[in-house]
Amino acid sequence: MEEGRKRFVYEQTNMESFLSDIASGFRDRLRSENFTIALDIVPDLPEVSVDRGTFRQAVNNLIDNAVKYSGPSKRAVIRARQQDGYLTVSVQDFGEGISPAEQKHIFDRFYRGGRELTRKVKGSGLGLTLVKQIITAHKGRIEVESLPGEGSTFTLWVPVKNKKEQT
């Protein structure tokens, strides 16, 4: 992807059904762990143009991280909204959180925070870098809000194009 070789195929996508499908797969996988994934999707969201495979990969990564770093809370919420010309997809956990100092680096390649939990969780430090690359290819952005001990919310911002731009 970094070398520009990845070909994205953008398709108009109903985010409500797209996210419901993703959440369903995680719920099935996590049922035995008593992990809860809730959906909070505003009705009648506009369709957005995404490469479904890579966008699914980005959302999956955020949910995987929410599961890994949720601590004892064992729950996550996936939200979708429309705001300021964008469709936003957020994944919130209620776990360990990320310090402000670490937030500056979490999208860097191979970065893994110094927290005790981070050292116990498997990973290469590439997941959030990949998510950032995917959302950048969609002409969007990613943001994080987090407080240590209170959890994290990662939000993907995908532009909503008006009908004139879609033709």
Side-chain angles (χ1 to χ4, degrees):
M1 203 175 311
E2 286 179 337
E3 296 173 1
R5 293 182 187 169
K6 168 69 179 136
R7 297 275 182 228
F8 291 86
V9 178
Y10 297 95
E11 301 174 71
Q12 288 299 109
T13 302
N14 177 302
M15 203 51 62
E16 182 175 3
S17 62
F18 184 81
L19 294 173
S20 294
D21 181 55
I22 291 173
S24 177
F26 272 92
R27 285 180 184 132
D28 291 344
R29 192 181 95 203
L30 298 170
R31 185 169 288 124
S32 66
E33 297 175 36
N34 293 321
F35 197 97
T36 303
I37 296 181
L39 284 174
D40 179 8
I41 300 173
V42 172
D44 301 320
L45 288 172
E47 289 191 348
V48 291
S49 183
V50 297
D51 178 284
R52 292 180 187 166
T54 59
F55 199 78
R56 177 180 292 271
Q57 185 177 7
V59 173
N60 283 348
N61 182 281
L62 295 180
I63 298 169
D64 274 333
N65 284 351
V67 171
K68 289 177 189 176
Y69 298 109
S70 69
S73 72
K74 293 192 175 270
R75 68 184 178 113
V77 179
I78 302 168
R79 290 184 177 85
R81 307 272 187 273
Q82 184 176 357
Q83 181 179 340
D84 301 328
Y86 288 84
L87 186 134
T88 62
V89 175
S90 300
V91 177
Q92 179 181 15
D93 69 57
F94 302 89
E96 301 297 318
I98 305 164
S99 74
E102 287 184 312
Q103 288 179 39
K104 296 175 186 176
H105 303 286
I106 58 173
F107 299 107
D108 297 345
R109 275 180 101 178
F110 305 116
Y111 181 78
R112 293 193 30 105
R115 298 169 293 152
E116 179 74 19
L117 181 60
T118 303
R119 288 190 287 274
K120 292 179 183 176
V121 173
K122 291 181 182 179
S124 62
L126 289 173
L128 290 175
T129 303
L130 182 61
V131 172
K132 185 176 181 181
Q133 290 173 350
I134 290 168
I135 198 66
T136 299
H138 285 79
K139 300 194 180 355
R141 67 184 188 271
I142 183 170
E143 295 177 353
V144 62
E145 293 178 28
S146 186
L147 291 172
E150 295 186 23
S152 303
T153 302
F154 286 85
T155 302
L156 303 174
W157 294 72
V158 182
V160 175
K161 296 183 172 132
N162 64 35
K163 295 205 182 292
K164 186 176 180 181
E165 292 173 299
Q166 291 174 2
T167 56

